[in-house]
Every structure is written in C-alpha cells, then in structure tokens.
Amino acid sequence: MEDWTGTLVKMASTQDKSLYVLLYRHFAPKVKAYITRLGVSEATADELTQETMLNMWRKAHLFDPAKAAASTWLFTLARNQSIDWMRRQKYPEYSLDRMEKSLEEASDPDTAEKHVSSYRMTQVINQLPENQAQVIYMSFFEGRSHAEIADRLMIPLGSVKSRIRLAVEKLKLTLRGEA
Amino acid sequence: MKINHHLDESTLVSYVAGSLSQGMALVVATHISLCEKCRESVIETEAIGGALLEQMDSSEISDTSLETILSQLDEEPIAEPEKGVTDQSDGLVPPPLRSYIGESLDSINWRRLAPGFAYVDIFTEGAGVCRLLKVSPGKSILPHGHRGSELTLLLRGSFSDEIGRFAQGDIADLDDQVEHQPLVDKDQGCICLVATDSPLRFTTLLGKLLQPVTGF
Ligand SMILES: [Zn+2]
C-alpha cells in the first residue's frame, strides 16, 4: 500500500508536480465517485472534483499529518466543496487551530501507522452488520439526516442513532488499534 | 471551561458526513469550538470518512482534466492559514457563530415575546429552526417532546432538567424519546443556541400557539 500521507507531505514541502500527479491519479477518481454519490450531475461532479484537487495543491502546506491521513484530509476537502456548492451557506466549521499548529510544529508523524489503521478500517467497515453499514453509508454517501434515514427505513429515530453509535464504536476501536 | 454534557456520537457522524441541517451543524461546530473532547472525537470520525473515501470505486476522470489542472497550478495562490480565534472570554461569541450574530452576546437585538423570554432567529438554509433564546432566572421552559432531534447549547448561565444540570458550553443532544422541562437557575438568566431538524415541533393548536414562546 502506497504511503499517500507521506507523498502529500513531501509534495507540500517540495512543490513537486510529479508528486501532485501521483496524488491526483489516486484521489481524483475517488473524490469524484464520492461527490457523484451525493447526487449531483456528472458535469458538476467533474467541476467540484477539480476544485477539490486544486485545493489539495493550494492548501497542502496546511495539512497536518499528525492529525489525519491524506485520505481523511481529502475527504474533508471534498465534503466542504460539495456542501458549499449545494447550499448557499458555508458549512459551519469548528475551529481552525489545528491548521495553525501545523505551521508551528515540525511534525514527525507516524504515517505508516495511520495507513494500517485506514486499511484495517476498510476491512472493519466491510464486516459491519448490514443494518449498521447501511446507516453509515446513508449518512456519508447520501448526505441523509437521521430523520430522513428513519423515514426511509421506517424505523424509529432512536434506532438510527443506536445503529450509528454501534458502528462508530467498532470503527473507532479499530482506529485506536484496539480491535 | 468544564463541560459535562457532550454531543452524541451519532450526531458527530452526521456533522462529519455533512448530513446535518445547516442550523444543527452550526450548533455542533460551536460546541466543538469550545470542547476539546468532542474535537478529538470529530477528528476520529473524520478518519472514518477518509477510510470510506479510500475504498470508493474510482470514477472515470478524463486525461484532459489532469492536464487542465496542471496548467493552472502555477497561477494558484497558496492558501493563507485561516485565523483561529482562541479568545473565549465570557460574553464573546464562539467563532463559528460570529458570522451569524456578531462578536458579543451583550449587543444582540433581542425580540421579546413573553415576560422572561426573548429570542433571535438565525437564518439558516433548509429544514429546521435555529434560534438564540434568552430566558430569565428561575423561569421554566414549557415541557416539550421532540419529533426529530434537538440541540441546545448553553452559551451563558445554566438550567436543570430531568437529565441534569447544564452550564456554559454544555450541550443537550436530544432525540424524540426525551420529554423534558428545563428550569433556568435562579442566580442568572441563560442564553442558549437551539436548533431542530424538523420545522414543526407541536401538532396541537395549543402547541403551535406556544411554539414561539418556548422557542422549540
Ligand atoms: Zn463536547
């Protein structure tokens, strides 16, 4: 498995376009697949993907490998790009101190470990019981609120939340290397 | 700030997935800006999004897309780090909320509705309601249930209900199972930010009449 996080860090420090090409080839098709599943047209998905990938270049120096793997960072860029397009209001973001920190601290990330986690996480996602995987997918890939999921599956709101909680609990244990 | 009541994991998932209503996302972002614990939790939840992205089947991207973008890179301005605001002294509005209501909790144009109750609606796109609610000391907010989810973040003061005591920074993250009657503590009024994800809270005529008063 390629070390995309390391590649991204290296691209940020060297501005090496050949690294950008590698990252683009790996991530752009996934980013487009993600954006397409949110329910936008092909043309819009192309446009939002390009914007996301441009942001990867523009914001690379703000990426903090101690906090996130490259795939996680790309996910947040793609999400923000899509939501800001779908709504006229900017999606509220919490705090940007972690971006500031990345400039101050010379990070020495254990990117390999992050990647093992990411890989294992994929396995765990695939092993979730179907009713838990379903609510995770509906949240992440269809952008549905709990209430919409409850309506669609014809189950109580509380059940939607507890299924999500159960799934997340497993995924986070994996992430922390405890499962 | 000692925070005792946090966001539910399932709410964090919706926030990270981008599937919360605008108003609820605003309340979540505001709590997270105050709460180290939930901030850590969000970072972990984002990693789930990253893993999901990593396992996506790839869509097709035309070769010209890459060529186009490569020709643009040199002209692209490098993004400046956005300024995180760390000043959280009392009376200052937490950063995510500032572009909506300004910087100070003391210069808000309240709309009075009933003795002891004032509110300001915060414009958010899409379903649900988001408003700032100010309640005088010792007042009780009418009992209410929830058809959908409701988030209440305490920005100042405190109240108690069946679940416990909520003070500055605490968030009540409730679904439709919970019926509660918050009672504002006697020493100080409270200001809270409330968002719901469904537009109608009450189905009875009486409820509809009371709705603007209770703010829920
Ligand atoms: Zn919290």
Side-chain angles (χ1 to χ4, degrees):
Chain A
M1 181 169 271
E2 296 276 345
D3 176 17
W4 295 114
T5 303
T7 308
L8 178 57
V9 169
K10 203 162 167 209
M11 183 200 83
S13 62
T14 60
Q15 305 276 295
D16 183 340
K17 285 181 193 154
S18 67
L19 296 177
Y20 180 85
V21 170
L22 291 178
L23 288 158
Y24 184 97
R25 290 220 162 99
H26 179 72
F27 283 113
K30 293 177 189 297
V31 165
K32 186 180 168 188
Y34 162 68
I35 292 173
T36 305
R37 290 195 58 166
L38 292 174
V40 299
S41 70
E42 169 97 18
T44 304
D46 273 324
E47 197 181 309
L48 294 173
T49 301
Q50 290 293 83
E51 282 303 317
T52 302
M53 299 314 291
L54 267 181
N55 273 335
M56 179 181 80
W57 177 259
R58 296 178 59 228
K59 296 186 173 177
H61 62 294
L62 302 175
F63 170 67
D64 181 354
K67 292 276 164 134
S71 57
T72 300
W73 189 64
L74 261 299
F75 164 74
T76 61
L77 290 182
R79 176 200 63 195
N80 293 352
Q81 202 71 47
S82 321
I83 295 178
D84 293 352
W85 182 84
M86 287 186 257
R87 297 182 186 169
R88 283 182 300 267
Q89 283 181 312
K90 210 169 142 37
Y91 198 58
E93 285 190 85
Y94 47 100
S95 154
L96 302 156
D97 358 331
R98 61 182 169 139
M99 287 189 168
E100 282 196 341
K101 271 183 196 157
S102 70
L103 292 178
E104 293 156 12
E105 296 165 8
S107 307
D108 179 24
D110 191 347
T111 56
E113 189 202 9
K114 283 257 188 313
H115 273 250
V116 172
S117 296
S118 171
Y119 175 67
R120 279 217 313 277
M121 228 133 80
T122 303
Q123 289 182 312
V124 176
I125 289 168
N126 292 334
Q127 285 162 8
L128 287 175
E130 201 184 325
N131 66 7
Q132 290 173 26
Q134 190 179 33
V135 291
I136 292 290
Y137 280 107
M138 288 174 93
S139 300
F140 275 94
F141 293 144
E142 295 172 11
R144 295 190 193 282
S145 69
H146 296 161
E148 286 172 328
I149 296 173
D151 280 351
R152 204 153 253 258
L153 300 180
M154 291 184 289
I155 56 173
L157 187 62
S159 306
V160 174
K161 294 190 184 206
S162 61
R163 284 181 194 181
I164 294 177
R165 278 195 289 265
L166 286 170
V168 166
E169 197 181 337
K170 282 178 210 153
L171 296 172
K172 286 192 173 177
L173 283 176
T174 307
L175 189 69
R176 295 174 196 142
E178 291 162 22
Chain B
M1 195 176 300
K2 177 85 182 80
I3 295 175
N4 292 310
H5 298 276
H6 298 278
L7 287 157
D8 191 276
E9 288 281 357
S10 64
T11 307
L12 285 174
V13 165
S14 284
Y15 174 73
V16 166
S19 56
L20 278 188
S21 70
Q22 186 76 13
M24 292 186 59
L26 178 60
V27 182
V28 168
T30 306
H31 174 77
I32 292 170
S33 74
L34 301 170
C35 179
E36 185 72 29
K37 182 171 182 274
C38 288
R39 207 175 313 157
E40 290 299 316
S41 199
V42 150
I43 288 168
E44 286 186 335
T45 309
E46 285 176 345
I48 297 173
L52 288 167
L53 180 73
E54 193 60 71
Q55 67 160 4
M56 297 258 16
D57 292 330
S58 296
S59 287
E60 205 156 315
I61 301 266
S62 67
D63 285 340
T64 51
S65 298
L66 177 57
E67 285 161 28
T68 311
I69 215 167
L70 283 174
S71 68
Q72 289 176 312
L73 293 186
D74 285 332
E75 285 106 73
E76 275 302 308
I78 296 302
E80 291 292 324
E82 300 180 51
K83 291 264 184 295
V85 188
T86 46
D87 188 354
Q88 288 168 1
S89 43
D90 198 36
L92 272 189
V93 171
L97 197 51
R98 283 186 196 168
S99 59
Y100 294 81
I101 63 166
E103 291 202 352
S104 168
L105 282 177
D106 295 308
S107 53
I108 287 167
N109 274 331
W110 295 101
R111 300 185 57 170
R112 250 177 60 99
L113 254 166
F117 291 94
Y119 78 100
V120 182
D121 271 324
I122 293 175
F123 174 77
T124 51
E125 212 179 284
V129 174
C130 184
R131 63 180 42 152
L132 216 49
L133 184 67
K134 185 169 142 179
V135 187
S136 298
K139 283 273 177 189
S140 169
I141 300 167
L142 285 164
H144 60 283
H146 306 281
R147 257 188 63 225
S149 302
E150 178 186 284
L151 293 172
T152 306
L153 172 66
L154 264 283
L155 295 174
R156 177 183 287 173
S158 54
F159 68 65
S160 301
D161 67 7
E162 289 80 351
I163 301 162
R165 184 167 181 275
F166 292 79
Q168 193 184 12
D170 281 332
I171 191 153
D173 185 350
L174 305 175
D175 64 25
D176 56 358
Q177 302 299 301
V178 184
E179 181 141 339
H180 70 144
Q181 180 170 22
L183 178 68
V184 178
D185 288 352
K186 287 205 175 66
D187 54 330
Q188 193 190 8
C190 83
I191 295 178
C192 45
L193 178 65
V194 188
T196 61
D197 63 356
S198 27
L200 271 180
R201 313 307 309 157
F202 295 96
T203 47
T204 65
L205 179 60
L206 178 66
K208 281 179 184 163
L209 290 172
L210 289 173
Q211 190 169 355
V213 182
T214 59
F216 291 91

